Amino acid sequence: MRLKSAGPEDTGRIGFEIGRRLKPGDVVALYGDLGAGKTTLVRGMASAFGIPSGDVTSASFTIIAEYPSTPPFLHIDLYRIEREEDLEAIGFWESIGGDSVSVIEWAERIPKEDSAGFIKVRITAGPDDVREIASEDINEEDWNNL
Ligand code: ADP
Ligand code: MG
């Protein structure tokens, strides 16, 4: 999947479309620079689970925010994680998967060999408000058919 977003609303809509395709146990790993639009995309994804987008703020300070939706929705922000051991310290590995849907900002912090099976999505800023949202783990045909 490779989509162009023209603005924040577009990214929110794409997030919603990704969100409604997710199943319990899915882990979405978001990659992209500060201001790329990761949290904006997460808001759209959360709305697919009935979570008001205003409830979803930057999770940088809480690191793991869990919303009591069905399935539970976890918004994780690893910006402050500096070492691999910190992932264990915050209970990262116990938190993700299971019956929940998890979305991780700053997935760059996770060692590559530990992120197998994650749905990896990269957001790249273009000129002005243009963003490219790309994932090799989301099939564009499935996308068009749903
Ligand atoms: P991140 O979580 O990656 O740091 P945020 O979603 O918090 O990024 O912020 C993205 C910023 O860029 C917001 O201020 C948003 O209004 C702006 N923006 C401009 N164009 C877009 C776009 N196409 N998609 C998402 N955000 C955009
Ligand atoms: Mg963010």
Side-chain angles (χ1 to χ4, degrees), residues 30 32-40 42-43 57-60 75-77 79 105-106:
L30 301 180
D33 294 336
L34 189 72
K38 300 180 294 299
T39 302
T40 305
V42 174
R43 286 197 184 101
T57 53
S58 168
S60 296
H75 177 201
I76 302 174
D77 189 322
Y79 184 66
E105 293 191 50
W106 293 101

Side-chain angles (χ1 to χ4, degrees), residues 4-12 30-43 58 75 77 105-106 123 128-133:
K4 279 257 187 292
S5 162
E9 298 80 14
D10 230 8
T11 297
L30 301 180
Y31 301 84
D33 294 336
L34 189 72
K38 300 180 294 299
T39 302
T40 305
L41 191 75
V42 174
R43 286 197 184 101
S58 168
H75 177 201
D77 189 322
E105 293 191 50
W106 293 101
I123 311 184
D128 303 318
D129 286 356
V130 172
R131 304 288 193 269
E132 186 187 78
I133 300 169

Side-chain angles (χ1 to χ4, degrees), residues 46-136:
S47 68
F49 296 88
I51 301 160
S53 53
D55 287 7
V56 181
T57 53
S58 168
S60 296
F61 292 96
T62 50
I63 304 183
I64 301 178
E66 180 167 354
Y67 297 86
S69 49
T70 309
F73 183 87
L74 270 69
H75 177 201
I76 302 174
D77 189 322
L78 299 179
Y79 184 66
R80 284 158 183 280
I81 296 300
E82 286 172 359
R83 292 176 305 271
E84 205 180 321
E85 304 87 81
D86 294 343
L87 290 173
E88 331 233 317
I90 63 163
F92 173 77
W93 298 107
E94 295 89 79
S95 299
I96 62 169
D99 294 331
S100 304
V101 164
S102 311
V103 184
I104 306 159
E105 293 191 50
W106 293 101
E108 288 89 343
R109 306 283 193 261
I110 306 166
K112 208 175 171 199
E113 62 271 24
D114 294 333
S115 52
F118 294 179
I119 299 166
K120 302 185 179 77
V121 178
R122 177 169 291 281
I123 311 184
T124 313
D128 303 318
D129 286 356
V130 172
R131 304 288 193 269
E132 186 187 78
I133 300 169
S135 176
E136 291 182 359

